[in-house]
């Protein structure tokens, strides 16, 4: 529920973030193209074909488990193109954004249109406990942290999203970010998805292909969700519950494979500072910002291990506990 405010109150989330670069320079980074996303998508699917072959090659051996996990990583990281396409920045062509977002969402069992509105609220109210639907409070202890990693809240939320979407009965928090005029479309998206899953399951049972559905899709999808949880937790967990993107979002420097599979979203502070910059220009934005990364006013972690080490060290210390004091001091001074 949105916080109650008096007429004299100023909503800190009402002001857009300050542009990270001069307008002319930023405009050059905002140009949308089809080519980069087509190449990324082709590469993502090619890696998926390779992991599918690994599952087939390892069938009936213990090697099948790591092969299915690798397959699952490729599947769950389809979150990245879905995310980019719901921003409308992955492709210049609008229908390509819609088709790719729907395709990726169907494979992950996450309705893309619903996510589009939910994610818009996340960007508008980043780290606002009352209005950010994706805000994850700093875990109180190790059990809470592990619960987040293994999706103890994610899976019930995902099933609930599909159920409420099919029924057209949205909870009060969903009504805050789902426009009333679009709820019918969101519901039909969920119904078509669930209906498709029912048909696929029935076809698998009747044809005897259900084992393949489990081995190549469902089990890998479940096995690898913690990999995505770890990456997504690093974006905001332990950051300040405030409107300043310099302290409420974390960029994580990582290896080229993760950057590719996650479509450059490890540059997450840059993404929140300038959401209109397409994913394929985020590294250029990162490099164009003034000062070396360790001297900047926003938080940059050198790898996901370090990011999670900071989170674990500060379990129970509340929001903002993983924001370096030097960063907070510079922002306050500014």
């Amino acid at each position: 529920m949105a916080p109650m405010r008096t007429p004299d109150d100023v909503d800190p989330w009402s002001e857009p973030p300050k542009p990270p670069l001069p307008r002319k320079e930023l405009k050059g980074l905002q140009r949308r193209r089809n080519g980069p996303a087509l190449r990324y998508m082709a590469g993502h699917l090619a890696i998926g074909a390779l992991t599918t072959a690994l599952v087939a090659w390892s069938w009936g051996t213990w090697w099948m488990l790591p092969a299915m996990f690798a397959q699952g990583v490729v599947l769950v990281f389809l979150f990245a193109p879905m995310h980019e396409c719901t921003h409308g920045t992955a492709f210049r062509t609008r229908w390509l954004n819609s088709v790719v977002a729907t395709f990726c969402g169907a494979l992950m069992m996450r309705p893309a249109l619903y996510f589009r509105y939910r994610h818009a609220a996340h960007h508008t109210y980043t780290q606002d406990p009352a209005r950010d639907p994706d805000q994850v409070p700093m875990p109180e202890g190790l059990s809470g942290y592990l619960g987040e990693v293994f999706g103890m809240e994610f899976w019930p939320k995902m099933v609930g999203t599909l159920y409420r979407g099919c029924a057209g009965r949205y909870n009060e928090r969903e009504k805050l970010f789902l426009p009333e005029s679009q709820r019918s479309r969101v519901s039909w998206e969920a119904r078509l998805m669930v209906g498709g899953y029912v048909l696929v399951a029935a076809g698998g049972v009747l044809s005897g292909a259900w084992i393949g559905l489990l081995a190549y899709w469902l089990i890998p999808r479940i096995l690898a969700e913690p990999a995505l949880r770890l990456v997504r937790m690093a974006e905001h967990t332990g950051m300040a519950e405030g409107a300043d993107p310099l302290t409420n979002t974390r960029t994580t420097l990582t290896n080229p494979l993760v950057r590719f599979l996650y479509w450059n979203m490890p540059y997450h502070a840059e993404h929140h500072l300038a959401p209109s910059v397409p994913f394929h220009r985020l590294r250029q934005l990162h490099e164009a910002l003034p000062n070396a990364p360790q001297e900047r006013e926003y938080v940059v972690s050198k790898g996901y291990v370090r990011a999670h080490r900071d989170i674990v060290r500060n379990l129970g210390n509340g929001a903002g506990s993983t924001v370096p004091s030097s960063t907070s001091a510079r922002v306050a001074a500014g």
Side-chain angles (χ1 to χ4, degrees):
M1 182 174 293
M4 296 294 293
R5 299 184 184 280
T6 68
D8 295 329
D9 285 337
V10 176
D11 184 354
W13 281 271
S14 65
E15 294 294 326
K18 180 182 177 182
L21 291 174
R23 184 176 179 180
K24 185 177 181 180
E25 192 173 351
L26 186 62
K27 188 175 181 180
L29 295 174
Q30 291 172 329
R31 188 164 65 93
R32 301 176 188 183
R33 298 160 52 200
N34 288 336
L38 287 172
R39 289 191 292 271
Y40 265 70
M41 198 68 206
H44 204 123
L45 294 177
I47 296 172
L50 176 61
T51 57
T52 298
L54 287 174
V55 174
W57 172 80
S58 62
W59 197 276
T61 71
W62 285 107
W63 288 106
M64 193 174 175
L65 190 62
M68 286 195 297
F69 178 77
Q71 172 87 330
V73 168
V74 176
L75 284 171
V76 299
F77 274 74
L78 286 173
F79 172 85
M82 182 187 75
H83 164 266
E84 293 305 307
C85 288
T86 54
H87 270 282
T89 55
F91 298 94
R92 183 183 69 248
T93 305
R94 183 175 297 181
W95 68 264
L96 278 173
N97 284 311
S98 297
V99 168
V100 172
T102 301
F103 168 75
C104 294
L107 286 179
M108 293 187 299
M109 295 171 277
R110 302 191 67 172
L113 185 59
Y114 173 93
F115 176 80
R116 173 186 168 188
Y117 291 111
R118 182 185 182 100
H119 193 66
H122 166 66
H123 270 271
T124 303
Y125 303 113
T126 305
Q127 286 295 86
D128 180 348
R131 293 178 292 179
D132 181 356
D134 290 331
Q135 198 262 350
V136 178
M138 184 67 169
E140 288 297 322
L142 187 59
S143 61
Y145 170 80
L146 293 175
E148 290 293 340
V149 171
F150 289 102
M152 295 299 103
E153 290 191 14
F154 168 77
W155 291 110
K157 283 182 181 178
M158 192 192 79
V159 173
T161 295
L162 290 172
Y163 169 76
R164 291 189 300 276
C166 288
R169 298 175 181 174
Y170 297 103
N171 61 36
E172 292 304 312
R173 191 153 199 180
E174 288 170 326
K175 289 177 182 178
L176 292 176
F177 62 79
L178 287 176
E180 190 170 358
S181 61
Q182 296 298 308
R183 290 174 196 168
S184 177
R185 288 183 63 206
V186 173
S187 292
W188 275 110
E189 177 189 45
R191 291 164 190 158
L192 288 171
M193 284 180 65
V194 172
Y197 299 145
V198 171
L199 289 175
V200 168
V205 171
L206 292 174
S207 66
W210 62 273
I211 295 178
L213 288 172
L214 289 175
Y216 290 106
W217 178 40
L218 192 57
I219 293 176
R221 167 71 183 88
I222 295 170
L223 275 179
E225 182 61 32
L228 183 62
R229 292 294 100 207
L230 286 167
V231 169
R232 295 208 66 203
M233 285 176 68
E235 295 169 353
H236 301 287
T237 304
M239 303 299 287
E241 289 180 351
D244 195 333
L246 299 177
T247 56
N248 68 19
T249 306
R250 178 191 288 108
T251 277
T252 304
L253 304 181
T254 186
N255 62 73
L257 179 60
V258 175
R259 286 202 306 270
F260 179 80
L261 284 175
Y262 204 44
W263 289 48
N264 280 334
M265 273 303 105
Y267 296 115
H268 210 67
E270 291 82 356
H271 172 62
H272 273 260
L273 285 165
S276 59
V277 172
F279 75 97
H280 59 90
R281 306 302 293 274
L282 286 178
R283 185 174 185 180
Q284 289 172 267
L285 175 59
H286 174 79
E287 293 171 349
L289 294 175
N291 301 324
Q294 64 271 19
E295 298 172 351
R296 292 177 185 167
E297 292 183 341
Y298 64 87
V299 177
V300 179
S301 287
K302 294 181 178 179
Y304 285 101
V305 172
R306 290 196 182 187
H308 280 272
R309 183 181 65 187
D310 290 342
I311 293 170
V312 171
R313 282 179 174 175
N314 287 278
L315 289 175
N317 290 338
S321 58
T322 65
V323 180
S325 57
S326 57
T327 299
S328 302
R330 283 199 298 272
V331 172

